[in-house]
Amino acid sequence: MRADRLVAVLLTLQARGRVTAAQLADELEVSIATARRDLEALSAAGIPVYPQAGRGGGWQLLGGARTDLSGLSSNEARALFLLVGPAASVAPEAKAALRKLVRALPETFRTDAEAAAEAVVIDPGEWGRPSPERPALLPVLEAAIVDRVRLRIRYAAWNREPAERTVDPWGLVQRQEHWYLLGGVDGAERTYRVDRMLDAVRTGEPAERPDDLDLAEVWERVTAAVEQQRAAATATVIVDSGIVPLLHTQFGQRAVAEAPLDPGRSRVVVTAPTDVIIARGLAGWAEYLEVVEPESLRQELHRLGTALVARNAPDASVPAPASAQAAASEPDSAPAPPT
């Protein structure tokens, strides 16, 4: 597990002073590339791990070489526990290890380190398309969570104008490459996608946080509500079997293929927040499918088709493409489904 390895890297550096990526890889039984990524991750998190170039160089932890972690500053301890803490949300043994590490810190650092370790939850599920970059506001949010300071954010929901909100930050969740801030607004639980935040500023006011808060439980409630909303509309369609993989690509886990009806056709159940979303996703494959239910989906597909024809009727003065002319000359032929 990477959290265990990052701590092992840190303790190795404290014990030996300086190591090369190759030496570290040999000691931890990982590849050189993995060892180098771990060293770079510690350095990027704000822990004073630096490469030394030239003959006899390597990676070095500045500021002491004691394996009880007491050589870390308060900010460095926070950075370390923000980095390794999320493992506790996916592995019970990591949670036990983190408790031991907290006890190895100077007493004055422990409160902040514990808050940092609990600030982030990792969820391996998938929603939407992943963002390739770590959000720029993440350090501001992490610091406010650890310091328990209220935030004023400017947030642009996908279907609304940007608005300001005052939030008590409770924690962060990473789901694939997306980050979400969980917090309270006037005592109610709220969730905000970090990449939709335009700004985040500390107000200086103390944040309110439930004494018995369990970030993982809060996230479970959020995901349950979202999944229920995402499956509010359900449709059953019969499709040419060749487009089933394409529907999986378009709808993901929300397109479930049942047993094939025959070698050429399959029944597929699709879920989404509304019939309109399902209709827009199916419209591109209309010639290869038939809607079984609901009737409202048939009506929406009919509306989309009528609007498409009305806005894009072919100009009679423009010659049709050769492919269209060939199709017109063979009215009984049907295109093969894509594979």
Side-chain angles (χ1 to χ4, degrees):
M1 179 175 297
R2 195 183 188 215
D4 298 338
R5 215 172 54 239
L6 289 172
V7 173
V9 170
L10 179 62
L11 296 180
T12 299
L13 287 168
Q14 287 181 317
R16 296 176 55 177
R18 181 182 300 175
V19 295
T20 65
Q23 290 170 336
L24 189 62
D26 184 61
E27 184 155 335
L28 300 183
E29 298 181 349
V30 296
S31 69
I32 295 177
T34 296
R36 187 175 293 110
R37 282 196 298 268
D38 288 345
L39 289 162
E40 290 170 349
L42 290 169
S43 180
I47 300 166
V49 176
Y50 298 100
Q52 303 291 325
R55 186 178 179 84
W59 289 78
Q60 184 173 0
L61 175 68
L62 304 185
R66 285 174 287 183
T67 58
D68 61 359
L69 301 183
S70 59
L72 297 177
S73 70
S74 177
N75 287 339
E76 291 160 3
R78 284 170 49 158
L80 171 64
F81 280 79
L82 275 169
L83 190 62
V84 303
S89 65
V90 294
E93 61 270 21
K95 186 177 293 187
L98 286 173
R99 284 197 294 265
K100 295 176 182 178
L101 289 171
V102 168
R103 290 196 293 269
L105 288 169
E107 188 172 355
T108 54
F109 297 172
R110 291 177 189 172
T111 299
D112 279 0
E114 288 176 333
E118 298 171 355
V120 179
V121 168
I122 301 294
D123 183 341
E126 294 185 25
W127 279 348
R129 298 177 180 176
S131 170
E133 298 180 357
R134 181 178 168 92
L137 289 175
L138 213 54
V140 176
L141 304 179
E142 290 172 341
I145 292 165
V146 175
D147 296 336
R148 299 199 176 187
V149 175
R150 189 167 287 169
L151 287 168
R152 184 175 296 110
I153 67 172
R154 196 156 66 93
Y155 190 75
W158 71 273
N159 59 345
R160 299 177 187 173
E161 291 295 319
E164 283 196 353
R165 295 170 172 83
T166 300
V167 183
D168 293 322
W170 296 345
L172 290 159
V173 174
Q174 184 184 14
R175 187 179 178 101
Q176 295 296 321
E177 299 299 324
H178 283 309
W179 288 84
Y180 300 84
L181 173 69
L182 304 187
V185 176
D186 297 328
E189 293 178 3
R190 293 290 184 268
T191 306
Y192 301 99
R193 220 171 86 174
V194 175
D195 61 350
R196 290 179 179 162
M197 292 183 189
L198 305 178
D199 197 13
V201 179
R202 295 161 67 110
T203 66
E205 302 171 348
E208 295 182 2
R209 178 186 173 98
D211 294 334
D212 58 349
L213 178 69
D214 186 320
L215 200 62
E217 288 184 1
V218 174
W219 182 244
E220 285 181 8
R221 289 195 291 272
V222 171
T223 55
V226 170
E227 293 298 344
Q228 183 176 9
Q229 181 185 30
R230 286 164 64 88
T234 301
T236 302
V237 295
I238 295 175
V239 303
D240 291 351
S241 297
I243 72 165
V244 170
L246 301 177
L247 294 182
H248 285 157
T249 299
Q250 183 143 2
F251 291 97
Q253 297 177 349
R254 292 175 291 131
V256 178
E258 299 179 349
L261 300 175
D262 56 51
R265 299 185 307 157
S266 298
R267 185 187 298 267
V268 179
V269 177
V270 181
T271 57
T274 65
D275 284 346
V276 173
I277 293 176
I278 296 177
R280 292 184 182 277
L282 294 178
W285 312 110
E287 62 196 291
Y288 305 115
L289 61 85
E290 174 189 347
V291 176
V292 177
E293 58 179 359
E295 178 62 27
S296 57
L297 178 60
R298 287 198 192 93
Q299 294 173 355
E300 180 60 23
L301 282 168
H302 184 271
R303 186 190 69 80
L304 290 174
T306 301
L308 185 65
V309 170
R311 286 181 174 266
N312 299 276
D315 188 340
S317 64
V318 178
S323 58
Q325 294 173 355
S329 66
E330 299 179 14
D332 294 333
S333 65
T339 57

